[in-house]
């Protein structure tokens, strides 16, 4: 089974499985196709966290394809430029591109196919073109003037004939295809073995011509970003050469017979686990699926978990993140008592292990009350402004094979609208450093060599120690709300995978955004208009400021699962919102 946010990626992944590849081969092939098919949502210089189950290892592993801040990326480097926040676009916000290294680390250790075979579909689509989905047209059209006025290398690639490509037209990126063909040629020249070629390709990317082009572009060019000023980049060849994708154990929490696995606190994934720890003290099944009690309890739990995200999460290699205390029974019993009958209006981080919480100074007081920048919500595809401000630009892919291997991956970053295109490579750098705070002493403060606390959050669940379900969604800060809603709909609501994805969706905008300029909407609950009107009325009575959205507009989840019984059926489901996601199996 393969499920993803784009039908081409799902079809490619399935074709790999049908030709004898395993789940890891299929996920990597699908991931590289997503870079071509959804360039407004991810790119070759983005990042990817991966959760996987290996039947050989009998364990869950996390592949961290999240790059780190450059050595020159200090708070002082930004304040010397008159900045108090990392710009949301341009070269200053670039971290080391992690997606290529992440996919190759998984392929090398657990895959069976050569890199040439895995990359072939993506190269073919880059050369011959992909069908342009409406959101690509909308995204390019929104930033068209920015490209024309300030980013000519992006205009050259993304504005063929001087305008955004029409929805339904064919769009090719031959420069990207050439980059991947050269990587493969150098890898084949360096080694005759599968593993040797993967290692050589990684070396070419991070120490060879790709790294050289990235370093030269950062050092030799300067571009206007969301600060309104023109800046060059801080990323160097040494930064790329020092980095490699890590393999880590997951963070886990046991909930109603399920072990849920997430990335460490360098991502927001543990917020999912914290919500479950809080919800473990409530009877959601008794409350009734999507009742006012259900929605209120879930939203109030999310507010508390994400308040802790703001105060405590960061790269654990650089910050003391008390994850054990945050997930402990005593701490969550104390926090659970804060959930009352009325909606809370403050941002309330806790004190795990007696530590005093500290919020960024730009999150005013204890409320998170920060000036809003307008209505930013959607199906998990980019919400883009004319100055390039974006939110929720991400893809997702899930795979399970006949052996029981399973993958959940959330590639993102390096969006076509994130920074100017590097012309000889056919892609642009990511902007994940915008998630750091420049204020010192915070878990997520900018530090050279640190990972930013991202929103990317694939999910994996075991039943009785066996792999059961892999799932995830685009959607920035909403990822670990939409997927919690999906998971609870399956576990307590009695819905199957597709029914849970199709169910009316909701989320809170109460806490600060992870994206520039870090706005919050305290007390605001967004819900699709398919939620029962009487439920919405009761939520308003309880103090929730409800912002009703169009039908089928929130969430973009995909999922695969494997039954643990003798039948061992595989299942998959994909999101109908946006008419783009696709699930396939045989």
């Amino acid at each position: 089974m393969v499920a993803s946010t784009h039908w081409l990626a799902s079809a490619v992944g399935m074709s790999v499985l049908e030709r004898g590849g395993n789940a890891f081969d299929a996920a990597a092939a699908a991931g590289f196709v997503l870079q071509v098919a959804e360039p407004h949502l991810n790119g070759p210089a983005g990042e990817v966290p991966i959760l996987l189950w290996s039947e050989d290892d009998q364990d869950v592993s996390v592949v961290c394809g999240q790059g780190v801040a450059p050595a020159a990326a200090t708070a002082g480097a930004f304040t010397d430029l008159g900045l108090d926040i990392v710009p949301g676009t341009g070269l200053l916000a670039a971290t080391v591109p992690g997606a290529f290294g992440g996919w190759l680390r998984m392929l090398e250790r657990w895959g069976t196919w050569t890199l040439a075979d895995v990359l072939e579909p993506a190269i073919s689509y880059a050369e011959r073109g992909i069908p342009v989905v409406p959101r690509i047209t909308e995204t390019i059209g929104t930033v068209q003037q920015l490209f024309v006025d300030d980013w000519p290398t992006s205009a050259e690639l993304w504005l063929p004939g001087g305008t955004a490509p029409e929805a339904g037209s064919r769009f090719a990126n031959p420069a990207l295809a050439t980059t991947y063909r050269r990587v493969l040629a150098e890898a084949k020249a360096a080694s005759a073995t599968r593993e040797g070629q993967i290692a050589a390709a990684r070396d070419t990317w991070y120490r060879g011509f790709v790294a050289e082009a990235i370093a030269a572009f950062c050092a030799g060019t300067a571009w206007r970003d969301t600060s309104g000023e023109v800046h060059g980049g801080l990323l160097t060849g040494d930064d790329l050469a020092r980095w490699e994708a890590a393999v880590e154990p997951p963070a886990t929490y046991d909930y109603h017979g399920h072990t849920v696995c997430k990335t460490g606190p360098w991502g927001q994934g543990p917020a999912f686990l914290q919500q479950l720890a809080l919800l473990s003290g409530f009877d959601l099944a008794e409350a009734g699926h999507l009742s006012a009690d259900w929605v209120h309890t879930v939203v109030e739990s999310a507010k508390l978990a994400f308040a802790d995200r703001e105060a405590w999460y960061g790269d654990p290699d650089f910050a003391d993140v008390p994850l054990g205390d945050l997930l402990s029974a005593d701490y969550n019993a104390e926090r659970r008592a804060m959930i009352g009958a009325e909606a809370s209006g403050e941002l309330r981080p806790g004190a795990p292990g007696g530590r005093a919480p500290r919020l960024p100074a730009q999150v005013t007081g204890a409320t998170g009350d920060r000036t809003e920048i307008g209505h930013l919500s959607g199906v998990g595809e980019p919400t883009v402004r004319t100055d390039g401000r974006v939110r929720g630009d991400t893809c997702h892919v899930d795979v399970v094979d006949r052996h029981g291997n399973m993958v959940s991956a959330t590639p993102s970053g390096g969006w076509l609208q994130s920074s100017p295109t590097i012309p000889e490579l056919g892609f642009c750098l990511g902007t994940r450093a915008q998630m750091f705070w420049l204020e010192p002493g915070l878990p997520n403060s900018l530090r050279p060599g640190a990972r930013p606390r991202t929103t990317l959050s694939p999910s994996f669940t075991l039943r009785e120690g066996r792999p059961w379900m892999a799932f995830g969604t685009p959607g920035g800060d909403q990822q670990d709300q939409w997927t919690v809603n999906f998971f609870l709909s399956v576990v307590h609501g009695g819905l199957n995978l597709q029914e849970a994805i199709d169910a009316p969706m909701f989320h809170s905008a109460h806490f600060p955004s992870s994206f520039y300029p870090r706005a919050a909407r305290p007390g605001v609950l967004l819900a699709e208009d398919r939620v029962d009107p009487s439920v919405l009325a009761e939520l308003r009575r309880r103090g929730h400021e409800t912002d009703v959205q169009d039908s089928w507009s929130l969430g973009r989840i995909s999922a695969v699962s494997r039954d643990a019984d003798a039948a061992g059926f595989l299942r998959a489901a994909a999101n109908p919102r946006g008419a783009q996601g696709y699930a396939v199996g045989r």
Side-chain angles (χ1 to χ4, degrees):
M1 293 285 177
V2 184
S4 82
T5 50
H6 197 286
W7 71 89
L8 288 179
S10 297
V12 164
M14 193 67 227
S15 76
V16 172
L17 297 177
E18 290 177 329
R19 289 179 286 159
N22 65 17
F24 314 113
D25 304 319
F32 284 115
V33 167
L34 285 171
Q35 296 173 1
V36 182
E38 295 190 303
H40 57 313
L41 303 179
N42 77 140
E47 45 272 326
V48 60
I50 306 169
L51 271 73
L52 61 88
W53 169 274
S54 163
E55 278 293 298
D56 289 341
D57 297 343
Q58 290 290 294
D59 203 1
V60 178
S61 296
V62 176
V63 177
C64 177
Q66 173 56 59
V68 300
T74 63
F78 286 84
T79 56
D80 287 348
L81 295 171
L83 300 171
D84 64 355
I85 191 168
V86 179
T89 61
L91 300 182
L92 278 178
T95 55
V96 172
F100 191 78
W103 288 122
L104 264 62
R105 185 69 184 268
M106 179 185 71
L107 183 66
E108 180 181 43
R109 179 163 171 178
W110 291 283
T112 63
W113 276 29
T114 66
L115 181 59
D117 288 337
V118 165
L119 274 174
E120 188 277 329
I123 293 172
S124 177
Y125 282 124
E127 286 181 335
R128 299 173 58 232
I130 50 96
V132 174
V133 297
R135 285 294 181 124
I136 294 178
T137 302
E138 294 168 15
T139 301
I140 298 174
T142 302
V143 294
Q144 178 170 333
Q145 201 59 47
L146 171 70
F147 286 2
V148 170
D149 293 344
D150 296 305
W151 295 4
T153 61
S154 294
E156 183 179 355
L157 175 59
W158 301 107
L159 298 173
T163 188
E166 293 183 3
S169 65
R170 184 188 293 266
F171 181 85
N173 187 347
L176 175 60
T178 299
T179 295
Y180 278 139
R181 287 202 182 281
R182 181 175 172 186
V183 168
L184 290 175
E186 295 192 11
K188 290 178 180 179
S191 176
T193 68
R194 188 188 81 91
E195 291 78 8
Q197 289 176 5
I198 293 172
R202 185 168 51 235
D203 195 61
T204 296
W205 191 273
Y206 290 99
R207 299 169 185 84
F209 80 92
V210 176
E212 291 168 0
I214 291 172
F217 194 75
C218 287
T221 65
W223 310 85
R224 195 172 309 282
D225 55 40
T226 47
S227 71
E229 301 298 326
V230 173
H231 297 116
L234 302 174
L235 198 61
T236 69
D238 287 342
D239 293 318
L240 276 80
R242 281 192 293 263
W243 183 84
E244 63 178 23
V247 177
E248 306 173 350
T252 63
Y253 186 79
D254 293 332
Y255 180 84
H256 286 264
H258 306 84
T259 300
V260 180
C261 306
K262 302 292 287 186
T263 71
W266 49 266
Q268 73 176 15
F272 188 119
L273 308 181
Q274 284 196 252
Q275 291 173 81
L276 295 185
L278 291 163
L279 293 168
S280 65
F282 297 96
D283 192 341
L284 289 179
E286 177 66 23
H289 184 241
L290 293 185
S291 66
D293 283 343
W294 175 296
V295 175
H296 172 79
T297 304
V298 171
V299 166
E300 292 303 300
S301 296
K303 290 179 181 178
L304 293 174
F306 279 85
D308 278 343
R309 182 196 74 166
E310 290 306 302
W312 296 109
Y313 288 21
D315 187 342
D317 292 341
F318 291 79
D320 179 17
V321 183
L323 193 56
D325 289 325
L326 290 168
L327 295 174
S328 68
D330 288 346
Y331 177 75
N332 283 282
E334 176 186 333
R335 298 281 278 166
R336 193 179 301 118
M338 300 170 67
I339 300 176
E342 302 296 319
S344 60
E346 296 184 341
L347 192 68
R348 302 180 290 177
R355 302 168 177 84
R358 177 183 163 191
L359 291 171
Q362 287 180 290
V363 178
T364 307
T367 67
D369 185 12
R370 186 175 169 84
T371 303
E372 296 179 25
I373 60 169
H375 189 80
L376 294 175
S377 61
V379 297
E381 298 186 7
T383 304
V384 183
R385 297 165 63 96
T386 55
D387 62 2
R389 294 183 191 176
V390 293
R391 181 181 297 183
D393 311 77
T394 303
C395 306
H396 188 78
V397 60
D398 303 295
V399 183
V400 58
D401 66 22
R402 64 192 182 280
H403 308 295
N405 299 308
M406 196 176 288
V407 178
S408 175
T410 309
S412 185
W415 320 304
L416 67 87
Q417 67 275 17
S418 63
S419 68
T421 299
I422 304 172
E424 64 267 43
L425 298 180
F427 60 79
C428 59
L429 296 174
T431 54
R432 200 58 64 172
Q434 68 181 284
M435 296 184 168
F436 286 116
W437 292 102
L438 296 183
E439 179 182 349
L442 300 169
N444 193 35
S445 294
L446 177 64
R447 301 173 178 90
R451 293 169 286 187
R453 187 213 73 205
T454 78
T455 57
L456 307 179
S457 195
S459 302
F460 201 95
T461 306
L462 308 176
R463 271 181 175 172
E464 299 179 354
R466 295 293 301 161
W468 171 50
M469 186 164 66
F471 57 103
T473 182
D477 294 283
Q478 285 75 54
Q479 287 181 38
D480 284 300
Q481 295 190 75
W482 293 343
T483 50
V484 162
N485 296 345
F486 162 79
F487 176 79
L488 295 173
S489 293
V490 175
V491 172
H492 295 305
L495 278 59
N496 65 35
L497 300 187
Q498 193 63 56
E499 291 169 338
I501 289 173
D502 292 352
M505 187 57 73
F506 61 91
H507 69 264
S508 173
H510 179 75
F511 44 86
S513 168
S514 297
F515 294 88
Y516 179 97
R518 316 301 286 268
R521 303 180 69 194
V524 173
L525 167 63
L526 290 86
E528 291 181 344
D529 62 13
R530 297 184 296 129
V531 175
D532 190 315
S534 65
V535 169
L536 293 175
E538 173 60 17
L539 291 169
R540 292 189 193 101
R541 190 195 67 79
R542 296 188 186 193
H544 296 278
E545 183 182 338
T546 57
D547 185 347
V548 180
Q549 305 288 292
D550 293 339
S551 298
W552 305 98
S553 62
L554 301 179
R556 216 169 117 211
I557 296 164
S558 63
V560 299
S561 69
R562 181 182 179 91
D563 291 351
D565 57 24
F569 285 122
L570 307 182
R571 307 178 192 277
N575 175 56
R577 299 164 178 88
Q580 198 171 312
Y582 192 70
V584 60
R586 59 168 293 209

